[in-house]
Amino acid sequence: MDRNNAKARVTKNTLKTAARLMKYVTGTYKAEFIVVFICILLCSVANIAVSFSMKIMLDSYIMPLIGQANPDYAGFYQALTVLGAIFVMGIISSFIYSRLMVRIGQGVLKRVRDEMFEHMQTLPIRYFDQNTNGSIMSLYTNDTDTLRQMINQSIPQVLMSAFSIVVTFISMLILSPLLTILAVVMIFILYLVAKKLGGSSGKYFIRQQMDLAAITGFSEERMNGQRVVKVFNHEEMSEVEFDQLNERLYESSSTAHTFASVMAPMIGNLGNLQFVLTAVLGGILMLNNIGGVTIGTIVAYLQFTKSFTQPFMQVSQQFNSIIMALAGAERIFNMMDEAPEVDDGYVTLVNAKKDQNGNITECPERTGLWAWKHPHQADGTVTYTELKGDVRFYDMSFGYTPDKIVLHDLSLYAKPGQKLAFVGSTGAGKTTITNLINRFYDVQDGKIRYDDININKIKKADLRRSLGIVLQDTHLFTGTIMENIRYGKLDATDEEVYAAAKLAYADQFIQRLPQGYDTMLSGDGEQLSQGQRQLLAIARAAIANPPVLILDEATSSIDTRTEAIVQKGMDNLMSGRTVFVIAHRLSTIRNSDAIIVLEHGRIIERGTHEELIKQHGTYYQLYTGKLELS
């Protein structure tokens, strides 16, 4: 949501968001919330009973007892006993609902975070490309924390205030219908004040949550890139940019809290005005014997006047938390309403074996042979196609946005076991091709066939299970080295992990570490060198044992000596597999079966290293240094 459009959407979405949030509260803990509802009602009744008892005490006991020679206090003591019991009931009810709301609040937050994370796993790569990591992280931290404050504090307070207003109003109406007319007028004035100030602060609270997400994203980005900031002496500019974001947060936050903070004193002063007017009007009615108003009525009614204004005060004090929570909830629900990644595939990947006649059959155990299980809806039959790693592009065009096409009429093929290399300047479309093979994005025109099956028919999870990827930027997770390698195959045995590490030439450096394979990694493996991290990525791909491998500039960020070690691991990994390689260092792709030269999303040359050198074209100029990759 654009920051400048916040005002237009406040009124439209606030009630919808509040209702949706309440469904989490009442739906997850229905029985507990009913108990909370009853306890708050009892607590409200107890509070009102104390005020209502003022009239009874004065008119029925205290005033009649004044002047008596031998006053009988038995009735008065009985009334005090009943009042004390009601007061104790209110205390117990308050304790019960407070404890229950803590449990409900934490339970709802757990459910929200679970559903957020579960839904996030279904979102397409496009969503993460369009939203910063910091902005997404803000959903799990800042926005969910506002929900906690609202559920634990604001919801019980609002319910208590609502019950108090209703019960107090009924009590006031019973005491004196004439004085209640004044209360109705004050209710209307309070409503107008709350609507005006609430609407003004609401849009700024939404802006505040958006600005908070922006500053969280900026801080996360700068912390990750602190070395780059220092290398290029960008400290002052980073500070300026942070100050600008912080200034926006200051403006939206201070304005929102100003409007919200003004509400409490405004309501308080209106309550004081009502108190004075009630005392004056009540005195006039009593002196003129109008409406049966007594001294007890006036004292009780004045107490009710305070009790009547106090809930509005309490709600106004919770208004900040409520609006912030609704703004945070709207951002959370916006993410949860994002359309999940569409997967219409029905062809699955299965373990297979061949019978004596060479026919492929499905089996539960791993055999080293994989097959595509292709159910045919027309006749209900199922066919099996051996996974060989034959990938072909037919007249394919693609653009991340409809108005900007990145690849134009692309046709190419990689036969099983072939090594295909992509060369071209930045933006030529090399990485885009690999994204399309993974179906991180779907092509707009043309098609991609995998073992002669349109990849749109293959379930995405099975398609990606058949592909291994080693990226330029290796991502390691908090955990041991063994756990990070096993990420490629979660049920892998320790022996399989050791074998994969040896295949990737990672075993030697792992054995030199103090805890070996049990060495804990954190911070994306920052305690390891770039080359060591890359070797672990190769080992992770090796343990998955995929028939098709994608290497996206896997050696571009390491030195030449380390590259020689990494290259050995990659050569072992590539053996017998269909491989797509993206490389800036042309020396790493000389032995490729075919080299594809891309320019502006089009194939301009294709051939082996020797064939392209003989052509004296773009590849020849790149290889001889007459033309540089940008």
Side-chain angles (χ1 to χ4, degrees), residues 12-178:
K12 180 180 178 181
N13 288 343
T14 300
L15 293 177
K16 180 180 178 182
T17 301
R20 186 171 176 180
L21 182 59
M22 285 303 298
K23 285 183 179 179
Y24 276 87
V25 178
T26 57
T28 308
Y29 294 93
K30 186 175 182 179
E32 289 89 340
F33 193 73
I34 291 174
V35 175
V36 168
F37 192 88
I38 294 172
C39 287
I40 291 177
L41 179 59
L42 292 175
C43 195
S44 300
V45 171
N47 292 336
I48 298 304
V50 173
S51 299
F52 199 82
S53 66
M54 296 299 294
K55 172 179 170 54
I56 299 174
M57 289 293 186
L58 284 169
D59 291 344
S60 301
Y61 296 102
I62 296 176
M63 295 301 294
L65 290 174
I66 295 176
Q68 291 186 12
N70 298 304
D72 183 7
Y73 292 102
F76 180 67
Y77 292 148
Q78 289 178 359
L80 284 178
T81 302
V82 173
L83 185 61
I86 294 174
F87 191 72
V88 170
M89 179 191 69
I91 294 175
I92 295 174
S93 298
S94 178
F95 175 78
I96 293 174
Y97 85 70
S98 297
R99 291 293 300 271
L100 283 176
M101 283 309 299
V102 171
R103 181 167 181 266
I104 291 172
Q106 294 302 323
V108 169
L109 291 187
K110 178 183 181 300
R111 178 184 168 187
V112 168
R113 285 192 295 263
D114 285 343
E115 291 188 8
M116 283 171 60
F117 195 83
E118 181 181 353
H119 184 70
M120 189 178 72
Q121 304 309 305
T122 69
L123 296 179
I125 290 295
R126 187 185 301 274
Y127 175 81
F128 300 97
D129 289 342
Q130 295 173 348
N131 295 272
T132 65
N133 292 341
S135 178
I136 297 173
M137 282 302 302
S138 186
L139 297 173
Y140 290 91
T141 53
N142 300 323
D143 293 324
T144 53
D145 190 59
T146 61
L147 298 187
R148 177 189 60 79
Q149 295 180 31
M150 177 181 174
I151 295 172
N152 288 354
Q153 301 174 17
S154 302
I155 289 180
Q157 190 61 68
V158 169
L159 286 175
M160 173 74 78
S161 299
F163 289 148
S164 297
I165 291 172
V166 173
V167 176
T168 302
F169 183 78
I170 294 173
S171 301
M172 293 168 71
L173 194 61
I174 294 172
L175 278 174
S176 176
L178 291 176

Side-chain angles (χ1 to χ4, degrees), residues 292-344:
V293 176
T294 64
I295 185 67
T297 302
I298 294 175
V299 172
Y301 204 95
L302 288 175
Q303 184 66 31
F304 277 129
T305 300
K306 283 293 185 182
S307 300
F308 188 67
T309 309
Q310 189 177 13
F312 288 98
M313 288 281 291
Q314 292 170 340
V315 170
S316 67
Q317 291 170 356
Q318 297 296 328
F319 194 76
N320 296 16
S321 298
I322 294 172
I323 295 299
M324 287 175 61
L326 292 178
E330 183 174 342
R331 280 174 34 81
I332 290 173
F333 292 147
N334 284 341
M335 188 273 270
M336 295 174 68
D337 290 338
E338 285 285 338
E341 188 174 21
V342 177
D343 187 2
D344 298 325

